Amino acid sequence: MKDFFGVAFATFLSEDLTCIGSGILLRTNRLDPYSAFLGSTLGIFIGDLILFIIGFFFHKSFSHFEFYQKIISLSIINKIQTGLKENFAYAIFISRFTPGLRLPTYLLTGILRLSFIRFTLYTFIASFLWTPILVAVSYFYGELIIDYLQNNKFFYPILFTFTFLGAVVYRITLKLMKGESRRELFLTISKIPRFEFWNSTLVYIPVAFYLIYLAIRLKGIRYFTTANPAIENGGGLALESKFKILSNLNKEFTVKSILLDKESLDEKILLIKKFMTENELEFPIILKPDMGERGLSIKLVSSNDSLIQTLGEINFPFLVQEFHPGPNEVGIFYYRFPKNDKGDILSINKKIFPKITGDGKNTLRELVRLHPRFRFQEKSFFENNQSIFDFILEKDKEYTLGFSGNHFQGCMFIDGANLITPTLIKTIDEIAKEFSGFYFGRFDIRYVSDEDLKQGKNFKIIELNGSSSESTNIYDPNFTVLQAYGYLFKQWKILWTVGKQCVELGFSKPMAYQEFFSLLKKHREYKKNLDPYAKKN
């Protein structure tokens, strides 16, 4: 009995070494099987419960501190909590079989106050699987394991790598067992060579390192907040008013807009009718958030009934905007160094709106799934076309899947460098200079023909984005990864340089860190109220 409790207690000091030692002692008849197997298993199980309890009381002890409340309310913590709840058993088992993961995972389950009963059940099963296996392996190969541990410092990294790969294989196997999950998995794998469909977080990892380099080289971290003194919130980082920006642009080249906010429903209807009459506009018209991005919550309203319905769904300041039929749209990325008299165009991104042709046999959903490109954006197309997604389209009938010139909404982006001409550069530069204090951003423009655009005429600006703008030609399917990052790095270098010159000339001051992080928090909260898709109403 003394050996039993001795082994159990030893696991509190080192679980793995106790199991390995128990196996070796069992082989040399210095320890009985009862103590070796059950003693180590019971000790490990109790140790796991203690970790949960420590985490639980840690949360209870610190929950009244403000700094702890801020940490525990972070969105990343909420995501981790949701992930653990949805994959509780999986997390416990992977952590049990992976050295280094047990301590943080089991403590976190207690801190986040997850189910103690479920934790007890899962860790009990995991302990009774893991411990006998390790003791048994040590019984047969204990001396070899000890020798390997003493002479090979890469043991744990190698073990961790194989465990991680095993977990990946396990998850893939689960997905392959389900038809829809299998399809999603193959789509995910198919996206790997397609830069335009990469996850945005993944895309910006190399950029983050480049920004550190820029901050060191240009001796300033916050220059990205000073590039456009005329635009609020760090020159247009987030939550800037689109209406204020458009109001500062040349009316000849800008679509007509009005801003509505706290008016009653009847007042809004009257103001919109007046706006349409005065400007000789007919349906459809555009309704979109005054503070928006990526086509979020944009509505194409095609009738009076649709207008009333849409107004009832909106609870934030929004623009009512003239709908320019195009049929073409581009994003023109412009910049001007404050110390220079002339600006330039970094890039032009031509937007190809998604269209599909019916075959008289397949539904719109099936046609999208069969399309070599549209299948990657099925969710967007479903949200934008729910009413007809499961209807069979007539043979040879062409149907437009989206109207918003945004990649997230299904648009294909093509590099439009061939559209850049001296005349167009001059026209855009003159428009930008009229907006005093604007130096860096992307004009989203609708126009009739490429030739007109090259000559700097017959186009309308529907939006201007500031410091958070992206040179969206990087999502051209024909671009290589190096080409895309070439534009991204150049864009950020220009932003940093423009911002530095604005500070040196006394045009603006860097945003305070507290203000910057507060802006990001407000931005995250605001986006929760927006529909992530642009829709026809």
Side-chain angles (χ1 to χ4, degrees):
M1 187 61 69
K2 184 170 70 173
D3 289 342
F4 176 87
F5 287 110
V7 170
F9 179 78
T11 60
F12 297 161
L13 303 177
S14 176
E15 296 180 352
D16 294 343
L17 288 180
T18 299
C19 292
I20 294 170
S22 297
I24 294 173
L25 291 174
L26 179 63
R27 184 180 179 85
T28 57
N29 296 316
R30 285 182 284 179
L31 191 67
D32 61 277
Y34 173 78
S35 299
F37 285 99
L38 290 183
S40 54
T41 301
L42 180 63
I44 286 175
F45 172 62
I46 293 174
D48 292 345
L49 296 183
I50 291 174
L51 288 177
F52 181 96
I53 293 169
I54 291 173
F56 182 88
F57 282 103
F58 176 88
H59 174 83
K60 189 174 181 180
S61 301
F62 285 87
S63 58
H64 62 283
F65 288 106
E66 185 178 352
F67 80 92
Y68 181 76
Q69 292 173 0
K70 288 182 178 180
I71 293 173
I72 210 71
S73 63
L74 291 173
S75 60
I76 184 66
I77 300 298
N78 291 329
K79 289 180 181 178
I80 291 173
Q81 186 174 20
T82 302
L84 282 175
K85 283 183 178 178
E86 294 176 350
N87 303 279
F88 204 171
Y90 175 76
I92 297 300
F93 277 85
I94 289 300
S95 299
R96 165 51 54 199
F97 284 81
T98 306
L101 286 185
R102 292 191 291 271
L103 177 64
T105 303
Y106 292 3
L107 281 175
L108 199 58
T109 54
I111 291 172
L112 297 178
R113 305 173 78 85
L114 301 182
S115 171
F116 180 68
I117 295 176
R118 290 178 66 194
F119 177 84
T120 302
L121 174 63
Y122 296 147
T123 194
F124 176 81
I125 297 172
S127 298
F128 272 81
L129 286 175
W130 164 254
T131 310
I133 292 173
L134 187 54
V135 173
V137 170
S138 301
Y139 175 83
F140 292 105
Y141 303 104
E143 290 87 352
L144 290 175
I145 293 173
I146 293 293
D147 181 66
Y148 190 79
L149 283 171
Q150 290 175 342
N151 298 288
N152 196 323
K153 60 183 178 181
F154 298 108
F155 173 75
Y156 282 108
I158 292 172
L159 179 61
F160 178 84
T161 300
F162 276 102
T163 306
F164 174 76
L165 291 175
V168 171
V169 171
Y170 170 74
R171 291 302 296 269
I172 291 176
T173 302
L174 285 181
K175 283 189 174 292
L176 290 175
M177 292 172 65
K178 302 177 182 178
E180 193 60 30
S181 295
R182 184 165 59 245
R183 180 177 174 277
E184 290 179 8
L185 175 63
F186 287 138
L187 282 177
T188 300
I189 295 173
S190 300
K191 288 179 182 179
I192 293 174
R194 294 169 173 260
F195 179 84
E196 63 168 321
F197 294 118
W198 283 13
N199 178 276
S200 58
T201 302
L202 178 64
V203 168
Y204 275 86
I205 289 175
V207 177
F209 288 102
Y210 182 67
L211 297 186
I212 294 173
Y213 161 76
L214 283 178
I216 294 171
R217 182 180 175 185
L218 297 178
K219 300 178 181 179
I221 297 176
R222 293 172 289 168
Y223 287 140
F224 67 94
T225 70
T226 61
N228 292 315
I231 302 178
E232 61 192 331
N233 296 337
L237 291 174
L239 300 183
E240 69 277 13
S241 168
K242 295 182 182 297
F243 183 73
K244 287 182 182 178
I245 293 174
L246 290 173
S247 298
N248 281 284
L249 298 177
N250 188 307
K251 299 296 183 290
E252 179 188 350
F253 292 100
T254 308
V255 292
K256 299 175 179 65
S257 305
I258 58 168
L259 175 64
L260 298 178
D261 184 6
K262 297 180 180 179
E263 297 85 356
S264 68
L265 178 60
D266 290 338
E267 288 173 334
K268 287 175 180 176
I269 293 173
L270 287 174
L271 288 171
I272 292 173
K273 292 294 184 182
K274 180 181 178 183
F275 166 72
M276 294 178 68
T277 301
E278 289 178 349
N279 293 286
E280 300 180 346
L281 301 178
E282 295 182 355
F283 289 111
I285 56 174
I286 294 288
L287 271 61
K288 65 182 180 182
D290 185 38
M291 298 178 289
E293 58 185 84
R294 301 179 70 195
L296 303 183
S297 280
I298 292 181
K299 310 295 182 185
L300 180 64
V301 178
S302 56
S303 68
N304 192 61
D305 290 340
S306 296
L307 175 63
I308 296 172
Q309 177 189 340
T310 304
L311 290 175
E313 300 169 353
I314 296 177
N315 59 354
F316 45 78
F318 65 95
L319 291 180
V320 181
Q321 197 170 73
E322 165 192 0
F323 175 68
H324 191 293
N328 302 304
E329 185 173 329
V330 290
I332 298 181
F333 203 100
Y334 167 86
Y335 68 95
R336 178 168 69 90
F337 296 115
K339 295 181 180 180
N340 295 353
D341 293 330
K342 294 182 179 180
D344 202 355
I345 292 176
L346 171 65
S347 65
I348 292 185
N349 160 50
K350 190 167 184 179
K351 305 177 182 183
I352 310 299
F353 292 94
K355 295 180 180 180
I356 202 161
T357 303
D359 60 4
K361 300 177 182 178
N362 291 301
T363 64
L364 181 55
R365 182 192 301 273
E366 291 164 342
L367 291 172
V368 167
R369 289 189 164 193
L370 290 169
H371 195 279
R373 174 187 172 77
F374 295 163
R375 59 197 175 112
F376 295 113
Q377 296 164 302
E378 179 186 347
K379 188 174 181 180
S380 294
F381 294 138
F382 168 73
E383 292 292 339
N384 296 338
N385 304 275
Q386 289 185 37
S387 61
I388 64 165
F389 213 56
D390 289 309
F391 283 83
I392 295 175
L393 292 188
E394 296 178 25
K395 184 176 175 60
D396 298 326
K397 181 179 180 180
E398 189 175 71
Y399 185 78
T400 301
L401 294 168
F403 66 89
S404 176
N406 187 278
H407 191 269
F408 176 76
Q409 307 290 348
C411 233
M412 181 167 68
F413 288 175
I414 299 293
D415 180 56
N418 62 305
L419 299 174
I420 300 176
T421 64
T423 304
L424 179 59
I425 293 174
K426 181 181 178 183
T427 302
I428 296 296
D429 191 34
E430 289 174 350
I431 293 172
K433 286 178 181 176
E434 288 185 40
F435 187 4
S436 179
F438 167 72
Y439 299 98
F440 177 97
R442 189 189 68 242
F443 291 92
D444 288 336
I445 288 172
R446 288 215 165 194
Y447 64 100
V448 177
S449 71
D450 287 352
E451 288 306 313
D452 280 350
L453 183 67
K454 289 179 181 179
Q455 295 174 33
K457 63 181 183 180
N458 295 333
F459 67 79
K460 292 282 186 178
I461 300 166
I462 60 173
E463 199 167 294
L464 171 59
N465 298 283
S467 299
S468 61
S469 299
E470 193 175 51
S471 181
T472 45
N473 65 325
I474 63 172
Y475 298 111
D476 186 323
N478 297 313
F479 264 27
T480 65
V481 173
L482 290 179
Q483 282 178 293
Y485 276 114
Y487 272 100
L488 268 178
F489 289 170
K490 187 173 182 180
Q491 164 199 318
W492 282 97
K493 183 180 180 181
I494 291 171
L495 175 61
W496 232 269
T497 306
V498 169
K500 182 177 182 179
Q501 289 190 13
C502 282
V503 172
E504 291 173 345
L505 294 169
F507 295 163
S508 56
K509 294 181 180 180
M511 179 183 284
Y513 289 111
Q514 184 177 357
E515 184 183 357
F516 172 70
F517 289 113
S518 175
L519 176 64
L520 293 184
K521 183 179 179 180
K522 290 178 182 177
H523 179 233
R524 285 194 300 269
E525 292 300 317
Y526 175 74
K527 284 175 64 177
K528 293 178 182 178
N529 297 319
L530 301 182
D531 184 345
Y533 299 98
K535 295 177 180 177
K536 300 175 183 177
N537 280 7

